Amino acid sequence: MGRAGLRRRRRGRRLFSTATGTLTVWNGRGGNTFGPATELGPGWEPYAASLMSVGDVNGDGYADLAARQGDTLYVWNGRGANRFGPGTAVGSGWSAYF
């Protein structure tokens, strides 16, 4: 489970759950409250143990996700409105850091 803002606003945090393989987000409403769960899609099982928000990696103002599968680090760039681009392999050698 990781936490991060997925939109360009500063209110609240978002939480992800991959226990069932479906990426789920709860958008923060401020005041330590969250909106209802929104399922973003299946297929996240390989990344469940290491999926996290890494802030805005590409500088576009949206929080991005990262995870390791095997020894390779992948990044999904945020697109706002709880959407992400395709996973991009950053490189190998990351197993020591997760």
Side-chain angles (χ1 to χ4, degrees):
M1 191 177 330
R3 292 181 281 175
L6 298 181
R7 294 190 263 180
R8 289 183 176 175
R9 61 186 190 160
R10 295 186 180 265
R11 187 190 318 165
R13 299 269 181 189
R14 284 71 168 154
L15 305 176
F16 313 101
S17 173
T18 59
T20 64
T22 298
L23 183 61
T24 305
V25 63
W26 293 264
N27 290 304
R29 293 181 172 172
N32 293 324
T33 62
F34 296 89
T38 302
E39 290 187 353
L40 302 185
W44 293 88
E45 298 94 344
Y47 313 103
S50 62
L51 183 66
M52 67 182 72
S53 174
V54 289
D56 183 9
V57 174
N58 64 350
D60 66 357
Y62 297 106
D64 306 317
L65 300 178
R68 180 181 59 84
Q69 182 180 28
D71 197 38
T72 303
L73 179 67
Y74 292 87
V75 172
W76 293 263
N77 291 314
R79 294 183 172 169
N82 296 328
R83 295 177 301 122
F84 296 91
T88 302
V90 173
S92 61
W94 291 89
S95 61
Y97 304 102
F98 287 86

